[in-house]
Amino acid sequence: RRAAALLKSCCRGTDYVVRWGGDEFLILLPQTDEPYSIDLLKRIKRACQESPADPIKVRLAVGAATIASAEDEINTILAAAESRMYRNKRRDSRRVNAAIIADVHQMLIERGLEDAGHLERLVRMMQALNKWSGHASGSSMDTRLNWIVSMHQVGVIRGEYARSDEDEKTATDIELGYIMARSIGEYEVAETLLAWRERWDGTGIPYGLAGEQIPRMARMLAIVHEYDVLTQGTGSGGALTPEQAARRIGELAGTRFDPWYAAV
């Protein structure tokens, strides 16, 4: 709805803004030349940049094509506009995805639903654990780990729940992060967000995955999240020392946690 309103605000009263698919719009511009259509795309992109983060800004990939003569087939022109839109989407997708997740990250902090210090500590520990385990590091992996941490509790924005069962409620929270990550094409991040509350012994949620069925980064996140909760005293008890927290996690190796990572 916000995207539709934004598009209409950029167009003239003689233009037609229509829903074209699940998440696509089509704008028909009668009696319009190519320079005007290019200017319209610039106005749309500017309006997206200026849109409020509620909880995220409106972001749209755009493309245009112009019927230049009576011989031009409308389907050919539509295909050309769509091709240009997808080309722009591929070119900008990584930057746009980063901006979307940054919006979510900031919104969680501003609403008091997450603690900035907690997120920063999780990122550092995830990076250290990934390096210790001998897996690839670098800017791409660091970005992915940042995104996982930023979105791991995104389900708390859902608000009130109809369900009273705690496990069902938590599973719903987890699935929201998974859906959001998949919607922007971040499938590895999505799988991690879906599985980080699973347990090594198969008694976790939402699907009861066990052992190495659980994605590696989800197993890492489960441990560093618990370690931070224990050492910061944000759980049900007071803060533990690092040694006490490590011992507590070690006691749950092979049941709740991956025994190899829990032994670090």
Side-chain angles (χ1 to χ4, degrees), residues 45-254:
K45 291 180 76 69
R46 187 164 56 248
C48 287
Q49 292 166 359
E50 294 171 355
S51 67
D54 186 26
I56 62 173
K57 291 177 177 288
V58 174
R59 291 185 172 86
L60 300 167
V62 293
T66 305
I67 295 177
S69 72
E71 286 72 39
D72 289 338
E73 290 285 341
I74 183 65
N75 287 336
T76 302
I77 298 301
L78 287 173
E82 188 172 51
S83 176
R84 292 167 187 171
M85 180 271 290
Y86 278 118
R87 184 171 65 242
N88 291 334
K89 186 173 184 177
R90 287 191 297 271
R91 182 194 64 201
D92 297 338
S93 62
R94 198 71 176 172
R95 177 183 57 78
V96 171
N97 291 354
I100 289 172
I101 294 173
D103 283 350
V104 172
H105 178 106
Q106 188 62 30
M107 180 271 298
L108 289 170
I109 293 171
E110 288 177 352
R111 296 188 185 180
L113 301 172
E114 265 290 14
D115 174 71
H118 170 64
L119 298 179
E120 290 168 5
R121 290 189 297 272
L122 291 189
V123 169
R124 289 198 300 270
M125 287 190 286
M126 287 282 282
Q127 290 171 342
L129 194 54
N130 187 64
K131 184 177 181 180
W132 172 85
S133 63
H135 287 84
S137 58
S139 60
S140 178
M141 174 56 72
D142 286 348
T143 297
R144 199 171 299 123
L145 294 175
N146 266 285
W147 290 1
I148 288 167
V149 169
S150 291
M151 297 183 71
H152 79 286
Q153 296 278 45
V154 73
V156 298
I157 69 174
R158 191 182 289 269
E160 295 300 320
Y161 298 86
R163 298 184 181 93
S164 58
D165 181 87
E166 190 63 29
D167 279 352
E168 282 195 32
K169 187 173 77 171
T170 304
T172 304
D173 287 359
I174 292 167
E175 287 166 357
L176 180 59
Y178 169 79
I179 291 166
M180 290 184 67
R182 278 190 64 88
S183 74
I184 59 174
E186 293 298 330
Y187 302 109
E188 187 175 14
V189 172
E191 294 299 329
T192 299
L193 294 174
L194 186 64
W196 78 276
R197 298 293 293 271
E198 300 284 5
R199 293 170 55 108
W200 184 261
D201 62 7
T203 62
I205 56 174
Y207 297 121
L209 301 179
E212 294 189 1
Q213 290 179 320
I214 306 168
R216 181 181 68 87
M217 287 190 289
R219 287 178 265 148
M220 290 166 49
L221 178 59
I223 289 175
V224 300
H225 185 276
E226 181 67 11
Y227 179 85
D228 197 64
V229 168
L230 292 174
T231 54
Q232 299 299 312
T234 52
S236 56
L240 302 183
T241 66
E243 294 76 17
Q244 290 171 326
R247 188 159 53 249
R248 179 79 59 84
I249 289 170
E251 291 169 355
L252 297 171

Side-chain angles (χ1 to χ4, degrees), residues 29-48:
L29 309 169
Q31 303 296 315
T32 303
D33 58 12
E34 185 174 359
Y36 177 84
S37 66
I38 293 172
D39 185 62
L40 173 62
L41 299 190
K42 291 178 180 177
R43 290 204 306 274
I44 291 171
K45 291 180 76 69
R46 187 164 56 248
C48 287

